[in-house]
Amino acid sequence: PAIDASRNVKLFVTPCWPLVQIISVSDRIQYQAVFRFLLSVRLAHESVLSVQPNPVFFKELPALEIQWRRLRILMLHLIQNLNNYATTRIVLGPDAELRMDILQAKSIFEIQTAHRKFLHSVCDRCLLNPKAEVVASALRKVLQLSIDF
């Protein structure tokens, strides 16, 4: 599997009233990008967890197997930290803030503002803004390397 394959996966959500007043079509497109990012992190995590050394390949090169295992441990450490970041900082952090803002909202316009703030925060944390393109590109390469490993 490849990171690019996750672009073919779509999350279809049609909000009901009154959410249709809050979540616009452009918001749903941004949610698609967030979903793809989180999916790629999870895919890389599962790929590194499931990879096992081929005993036939390493039979005559035990030193190479040790290097391979060290590399796997380092990749697993990086991907697990990224997975934890995705769970705690991308999903849970802004969600708690959104819930608090909604409880304090006095009108639908304040709810819309809270939602836009939430979505902007999530997109920033997923590196889905033009300022973070260099870092996002490097991260996609690391995720792809983890899957190819």
Side-chain angles (χ1 to χ4, degrees), residues 13 26 28 55 70 90 92 100 102 107 116 120 127 132 134 137 142 146:
V13 177
S26 65
R28 284 185 261 165
R70 284 182 185 157
I90 295 174
L92 298 179
M100 188 182 309
I102 287 175
S107 70
R116 293 234 183 333
H120 180 75
L127 306 173
V134 173
S137 176
V142 169
S146 299

Side-chain angles (χ1 to χ4, degrees), residues 79-116:
I79 298 300
Q80 281 181 326
N81 282 329
L82 185 59
N83 190 43
N84 290 340
Y85 169 80
T87 303
T88 60
R89 301 289 185 211
I90 295 174
V91 178
L92 298 179
D95 179 63
E97 191 175 330
L98 174 65
R99 289 174 188 270
M100 188 182 309
D101 289 347
I102 287 175
L103 289 174
Q104 295 173 352
K106 305 264 190 274
S107 70
I108 194 155
F109 300 110
E110 289 179 1
I111 293 174
Q112 284 174 328
T113 302
H115 176 257
R116 293 234 183 333

Side-chain angles (χ1 to χ4, degrees), residues 50-62:
S50 66
V51 69
Q52 295 297 323
N54 183 341
V56 175
F57 180 76
F58 291 119
K59 188 175 185 178
E60 301 197 13
L61 300 166

Side-chain angles (χ1 to χ4, degrees), residues 4-141:
D4 292 332
S6 69
R7 293 177 194 230
N8 296 327
V9 177
K10 301 259 188 237
L11 178 66
F12 290 101
V13 177
T14 305
C16 305
W17 188 90
L19 290 179
V20 74
Q21 302 297 322
I22 298 166
I23 303 172
S24 68
V25 173
S26 65
D27 291 345
R28 284 185 261 165
I29 291 169
Q30 288 181 312
Y31 277 118
Q32 283 287 350
V34 169
F35 172 72
R36 275 189 231 109
F37 174 78
L38 295 175
L39 179 63
S40 66
V41 170
R42 178 56 83 182
L43 182 62
H45 184 251
E46 294 302 320
S47 292
V48 174
L49 278 176
S50 66
V51 69
Q52 295 297 323
N54 183 341
V56 175
F57 180 76
F58 291 119
K59 188 175 185 178
E60 301 197 13
L61 300 166
L64 187 60
E65 181 179 3
I66 292 169
Q67 289 178 338
W68 182 90
R69 288 185 185 277
R70 284 182 185 157
L71 179 60
R72 181 181 179 270
I73 288 169
L74 290 172
M75 290 177 77
L76 191 55
H77 175 73
L78 173 70
I79 298 300
Q80 281 181 326
N81 282 329
L82 185 59
N83 190 43
N84 290 340
Y85 169 80
T87 303
T88 60
R89 301 289 185 211
I90 295 174
V91 178
L92 298 179
D95 179 63
E97 191 175 330
L98 174 65
R99 289 174 188 270
M100 188 182 309
D101 289 347
I102 287 175
L103 289 174
Q104 295 173 352
K106 305 264 190 274
S107 70
I108 194 155
F109 300 110
E110 289 179 1
I111 293 174
Q112 284 174 328
T113 302
H115 176 257
R116 293 234 183 333
K117 180 178 150 188
F118 163 80
L119 189 54
H120 180 75
S121 175
V122 168
C123 287
D124 279 350
R125 292 170 187 216
C126 288
L127 306 173
L128 298 173
N129 59 39
K131 292 180 182 177
E133 182 54 37
V134 173
V135 176
S137 176
L139 184 57
R140 281 191 297 272
K141 289 176 184 175

